[in-house]
Amino acid sequence: MTETTDVRSSAGTFGLTGAEAVGSAAETPFDPRPVAEPPAVHAWMPASPCGAGCVAVPDTAGAVRSVVRIAGVVGLLVAFPVVNVVTPPARRTGLHRRYARAVLRCCGIALRVVDERGVASAVGDGAVRGDGAQGDSGRGLLVVAGHVGWADVLALAAVSPMGFVARGDLVSWPVLGQLARLMRVIPIDRERLRQLPEVIAAMSARLAAGERVGMFPEGTTWCGRAHGRLRPALFQAAVDTATPVQPIRLRYLNREGETSTVPGFVGVDTFVDSARRVLRAEGVVAELVLLPIEEPGSDRHDLAERCDRAIRGRTEVRIDAHATAVGTGPTREIVVADAAS
């Protein structure tokens, strides 16, 4: 069965290398009004067509509930450094997972984990227990997923704590900045292509040491109805260290089981805008499907394509060929991709 995905226009967040764009939302027709082209930084700047029109939703949670949620998140993050220090190192992985789940709950996001890795993959990566938590085999693992917003980091950490490759300014964000520092984020500035070798070297060092590293190879965020392709650059760290790769299909659903764009962090969104929308929403579920492990091989391009096929499955993206993708990089025409057979 083919899944049909519709989207619209504007920018993104996390950054690696270039971008393909898609866009035109099912609910709202394409807006033909011209958009000022932002200054180009480099030709491969990642860009997403998703914008405010993709994520507009009515408020459902009242002011009191929103305040309680904010208080819960702040309380957890303020207490975390102290609790982390007094917890024995051998028990910190479980602590970090529980904290990530608690923060998700305080944000009003439930978690659902589906294990489709099979026996061989589960043995190689540590089994997934009944609560969705992954056992730690002590082997390095590169975790890759599509990118919707800041809640992605919490959702992945709630399954298995790991370091992340993330935008360099994340550590200065309110609330999430402290958590990013504790999670040992590997910063990347998508405007600086020359930084890529340093990032790959940092990833390789952690993978070789048996750590887990998560990344979002699309290079920017999408609303959840559409997606970009996985960029191959950072997959080189897995190739260099012969580290297996865990693809994860991540999506957000509403009460009806349909795609929810509430957690999308796109367009001109600030963190406060996105957080306010999430905290006021009800019935959002983060679903993580753990897919079979991909061996690294010797070609990062092939590895990226294999992970892309695994994560996307049979997906057709319906777009407006006359639309443009506007990101913080140059404006570019949308490339119409053939539907998966």
Side-chain angles (χ1 to χ4, degrees):
M1 180 175 179
T2 299
E3 176 184 344
T4 300
T5 311
D6 298 312
V7 290
R8 290 206 332 163
S9 69
S10 214
T13 30
F14 287 51
L16 314 175
T17 62
E20 311 278 24
V22 208
S24 168
E27 298 81 0
T28 310
F30 171 68
D31 187 350
R33 291 175 297 178
V35 181
E37 180 174 340
V41 178
H42 57 73
W44 291 273
M45 178 75 78
S48 161
C50 301
C54 297
V55 295
V57 294
D59 297 344
T60 54
V64 173
R65 179 170 295 182
S66 297
V67 169
V68 170
R69 288 179 173 179
I70 293 172
V73 171
V74 173
L76 285 168
L77 297 183
V78 168
F80 181 76
V82 176
V83 177
N84 187 61
V85 168
V86 301
T87 300
R91 301 179 62 183
R92 285 179 184 169
T93 296
L95 172 71
H96 295 177
R97 184 171 57 245
R98 289 191 296 273
Y99 253 85
R101 290 185 174 215
V103 174
L104 273 180
R105 284 196 299 271
C106 285
C107 290
I109 300 176
L111 181 67
R112 177 188 303 150
V113 181
V114 181
D115 185 13
E116 293 186 355
R117 296 176 301 167
V119 176
S121 293
V123 171
D125 181 34
V128 174
R129 303 199 302 269
D131 62 355
Q134 283 184 281
D136 189 356
S137 66
R139 185 184 183 189
L141 189 71
L142 180 62
V143 178
V144 301
H147 202 13
V148 177
W150 51 266
D152 303 348
V153 173
L154 293 172
L156 293 177
V159 175
S160 181
M162 64 191 79
F164 287 90
V165 180
R167 56 187 293 169
D169 64 346
L170 182 61
V171 295
S172 64
W173 282 16
V175 185
L176 286 183
Q178 175 67 15
L179 185 62
R181 287 188 289 271
L182 291 170
M183 295 174 70
R184 300 173 61 223
V185 160
I186 299 173
I188 185 170
D189 184 348
R190 64 179 180 170
E191 297 182 0
R192 295 176 55 206
L193 282 177
R194 292 182 180 180
Q195 186 193 24
L196 278 174
E198 301 173 18
V199 175
I200 293 170
M203 294 172 62
S204 297
R206 294 198 190 180
L207 293 173
E211 297 185 29
R212 298 186 180 205
V213 176
M215 70 173 187
F216 305 101
E218 287 171 306
T220 188
T221 50
W222 295 69
C223 69
R225 289 196 179 99
H227 57 77
R229 68 180 179 87
L230 305 190
R231 302 290 162 172
L234 297 188
F235 283 92
Q236 187 64 43
V239 172
D240 289 345
T241 58
T243 299
V245 179
Q246 170 69 75
I248 294 182
R249 185 178 300 135
L250 169 62
R251 62 176 183 163
Y252 296 92
L253 306 173
N254 58 24
R255 284 195 177 104
E256 288 71 41
E258 300 171 343
T259 298
S260 171
T261 59
V262 169
F265 184 35
V266 295
V268 294
D269 261 354
T270 64
F271 173 73
V272 173
D273 295 331
S274 177
R276 182 185 298 115
R277 185 169 58 245
V278 170
L279 291 168
R280 289 178 175 176
E282 293 284 1
V284 178
V285 177
E287 181 185 80
L288 280 71
V289 180
L290 311 182
L291 301 163
I293 297 291
E294 296 287 344
E295 293 302 324
S298 59
D299 184 348
R300 67 174 183 269
H301 295 275
D302 174 68
L303 177 57
E305 289 175 3
R306 284 188 278 125
C307 290
D308 199 309
R309 287 195 300 269
I311 289 174
R312 304 310 175 196
R314 298 168 62 84
T315 302
E316 175 186 351
V317 180
R318 183 176 301 158
I319 66 175
D320 184 337
H322 300 292
T324 55
V326 182
T328 55
T331 301
R332 54 181 63 82
E333 291 184 0
I334 287 177
V335 177
V336 183
D338 292 334
S341 58

